[in-house]
Amino acid sequence: MTARNDIQAITERIRERSKVSREIYLGRVAGAAGKTANRGVLSCGNLAHGFAVCSPSEKVALGGDKVANLGIITSYNDMLSAHQPFETYPQLIKDAAREAGGIAQVAGGVPAMCDGVTQGQPGMELSLFSRDVIAMSAAIGLSHNMFDAAVYLGVCDKIVPGLVIAALTFGHLPAVFVPAGPMTSGLPNDEKAKIRQLYAEGKVGRAELLEAESKSYHGPGTCTFYGTANSNQMLMEIMGLHTPGASFVNPGTPLRDALTREATRRALAITHLGNAYTPVGRMIDERSVVNGVVGLHATGGSTNHTIHLIAMAAAAGIRLTWQDISDLSDVVPLLARVYPNGLSDVNHFQAAGGMGFLIRELLDEGLLHEDVQTVWGEGLRPYAVEAKLGADGSVVREAAPKVSGDEKVLAPAAKAFQPSGGLKVLGGNLGHAIIKTSAVKPERRIIEAPALVFDSQQGLNDAFKAGLLDRDFIAVIRFQGPKANGMPELHKLTTVLGILQDRGHKVALVTDGRMSGASGKVPAAIHVTPEALEGGPIGRVHDGDIVRLDAEAGTLEVLVPAGDLALRPEPVCDLSGNEHGMGRELFAGFRQMAGRADHGASAFGTA
């Protein structure tokens, strides 16, 4: 089934806009691809260094051009729950590769930081830029040119986008992404959120708060809410970079290990030494990118991907814009309700039918491009399945269930939760911004109130503790953009603004910073661009100015005469406190080079 005309039209618009940059990119991919194993261009000295620690039989194999070698890029560390399971994956992959007649080597490791640990801390100002560092780290590992395909082990927020950028930079190599899966369900996310609010109000102590957090985040795997990490996994599957059904299987299970072994065999099969050469740079095209955006909208995914998807697409010479993302949102229905868009977690989504059900519904409605190439082969329809463990320990697949296991979590297209997706672009005299509407009740999507201006999230939290915020207002948090301080997530605002909203006040947030995929129930116009440090109008808003945020009409305005706003002097903010400590001094160059949020906020430039 072909995609609907409106989906086709947006895709064609992207293709036409990207024509020149995409042709240049594909030319580079073709130039990098050799007719023999890349090791064939290495000198004997080069090669000797590359296989010095291998067994004698592996040295013989790697010395020729007939055995495929997989380069493993891993984000393993044993502090973070989502990445700890990757400890055992390299050996599992090596064993599976050997059994299939290939070889695998760990090409390199990449950093993996957790926004959950750094929320509200100085380290959060390194978070967004870690994406580019991850891409660069992976590139260093692959630059040895020893590999016929790459296997990427990554899960969380900036790790997967960084790995995708690296994979597309080495677009002549096939790329298979291997997830670790979500942790099992713990304390429900809405109960955890209630304890956070009670703590912020002084009604429970730190011991009670830590107990609740620990019961929620309690074991190996990704956090169970539908934030950026789990949005990443959805994207990798719907874009064809996972094997079918791989995204949301829990760590440490026989099925999880079987999927990893299978992914290894598939990576070997799609090298140029196999029968189905699939270089990722050709595999991922405009249709794949549009499928990713459609999946983001249909599931109410993370706002962070309005930045990451643009940067990922640019790495393949594809020029995606916020307007493309917004226009797709207008025509894609919301089919999933996973916290913070609902009360259930990602394990409930998986149990209700998961990615297989979702992909089938979207394909049947013509909302996805079926005629794409994936790591599994031709077409997206083979992803409309559920992966299970066979009697012999291998992966078997069954057609996705015809009926959702829980229509309150995962709805068929005929019973969509809302006719449009969860993300929208706002525009007006404050610039452009993103708002996530899927978690915001309709009656709260239009807010008009006086502005209260702060230069940090701590400033707002201090005002709350001083009892100064019991009223209607729109919080304007400025100087939080990429060039100012690395564009940290401002997740600590969620609890305070949620409390005030629950008290009956009309509140909203406008900021040139980020919010996480768990941004929650308060209307938030985020990623405002141009940012304040670049002279953006958000910097000229004064306390008491009336600001109107209208997520229905897609507008963001400060209600002052245009001439008056333009004549106001640009504000001065002392950012010296953001320049040092916790490694921030090492990222001064990144802050200077960072692009705008709507261009991907990357130090690498755009397509």
Side-chain angles (χ1 to χ4, degrees), residues 14 18 21-22 284-286 289 310 313-320 607:
I14 298 169
S18 308
S21 54
R22 180 67 173 166
I284 296 296
D285 63 11
E286 294 86 355
V289 170
I310 289 173
I318 298 170
R319 298 176 59 195
L320 180 70

Side-chain angles (χ1 to χ4, degrees), residues 123-140:
M124 174 53 79
E125 295 178 19
L126 277 59
S127 175
L128 179 58
F129 295 142
S130 76
R131 181 194 66 194
D132 294 359
V133 172
I134 288 160
M136 295 161 70
S137 300
I140 290 170

Side-chain angles (χ1 to χ4, degrees), residues 70 89 91-97 99-100 178 243 253-268 389 392-395:
L70 304 181
Y89 278 36
Q91 192 59 52
L92 192 66
I93 292 167
K94 290 179 182 182
D95 292 344
E99 292 169 4
V178 180
T243 57
T253 61
L255 177 56
R256 180 81 275 161
D257 287 347
L259 285 162
T260 300
R261 289 190 293 268
E262 180 191 65
T264 303
R265 293 190 293 270
R266 189 60 192 167
L268 290 169
L389 192 68
D392 61 353
S394 64
V395 180

Side-chain angles (χ1 to χ4, degrees), residues 51-62:
F51 62 37
V53 299
C54 293
S55 68
S57 62
E58 288 174 331
K59 289 180 180 180
V60 171
L62 290 174

Side-chain angles (χ1 to χ4, degrees), residues 129-401:
F129 295 142
S130 76
R131 181 194 66 194
D132 294 359
V133 172
I134 288 160
M136 295 161 70
S137 300
I140 290 170
L142 295 174
S143 69
H144 295 103
N145 207 22
M146 288 280 294
F147 310 108
D148 304 289
V151 176
Y152 295 90
L153 310 181
V155 178
C156 279
D157 295 13
K158 314 307 172 299
I159 295 88
V160 167
L163 292 176
V164 171
I165 291 170
L168 292 169
T169 302
F170 286 77
H172 63 289
L173 294 178
V176 177
F177 280 65
V178 180
M183 68 177 67
T184 56
S185 300
L187 181 73
N189 288 288
D190 61 320
E191 293 186 27
K192 172 197 67 184
K194 290 177 184 176
I195 298 297
R196 285 180 175 177
Q197 290 200 178
L198 290 172
Y199 177 77
E201 293 177 288
K203 296 178 180 178
V204 300
R206 181 179 171 86
E208 291 85 354
L209 177 63
L210 182 57
E211 181 183 14
E213 299 283 1
S214 299
K215 286 181 178 178
S216 182
Y217 309 119
H218 64 89
T222 61
C223 307
T224 59
F225 65 85
Y226 196 55
T228 311
N230 287 319
S231 296
N232 281 338
Q233 304 317 302
M234 178 280 300
L235 282 173
M236 293 303 93
E237 186 153 348
I238 208 166
M239 293 176 71
L241 287 162
H242 279 174
T243 57
S247 293
F248 297 120
V249 175
N250 300 124
T253 61
L255 177 56
R256 180 81 275 161
D257 287 347
L259 285 162
T260 300
R261 289 190 293 268
E262 180 191 65
T264 303
R265 293 190 293 270
R266 189 60 192 167
L268 290 169
I270 62 176
T271 69
H272 59 82
L273 296 173
N275 296 320
Y277 179 43
T278 310
V280 69
R282 289 211 308 259
M283 187 192 97
I284 296 296
D285 63 11
E286 294 86 355
R287 295 167 298 178
S288 308
V289 170
V290 166
N291 283 353
V293 177
V294 169
L296 191 71
H297 292 317
T299 56
S302 171
T303 56
N304 280 321
H305 279 298
T306 61
I307 296 175
H308 297 323
L309 274 165
I310 289 173
M312 291 155 59
I318 298 170
R319 298 176 59 195
L320 180 70
T321 70
W322 276 1
Q323 195 58 55
D324 299 326
I325 295 172
S326 186
D327 289 349
L328 285 165
S329 182
D330 290 341
V331 299
V332 175
L334 181 68
L335 302 185
R337 284 283 190 198
V338 185
Y339 189 87
N341 304 320
L343 297 180
S344 301
D345 68 24
V346 74
N347 291 310
H348 302 127
F349 168 82
Q350 174 76 353
M355 290 300 298
F357 182 94
L358 178 84
I359 289 172
R360 190 203 59 234
E361 288 295 304
L362 293 171
L363 283 171
D364 288 351
E365 292 296 311
L367 292 166
L368 290 172
H369 291 285
E370 188 170 347
D371 58 336
V372 293
Q373 196 171 22
T374 73
V375 298
W376 202 242
E378 295 292 334
L380 194 59
R381 184 67 61 172
Y383 282 73
V385 295
E386 183 177 1
K388 295 185 176 181
L389 192 68
D392 61 353
S394 64
V395 180
V396 297
R397 290 180 171 84
E398 300 175 356

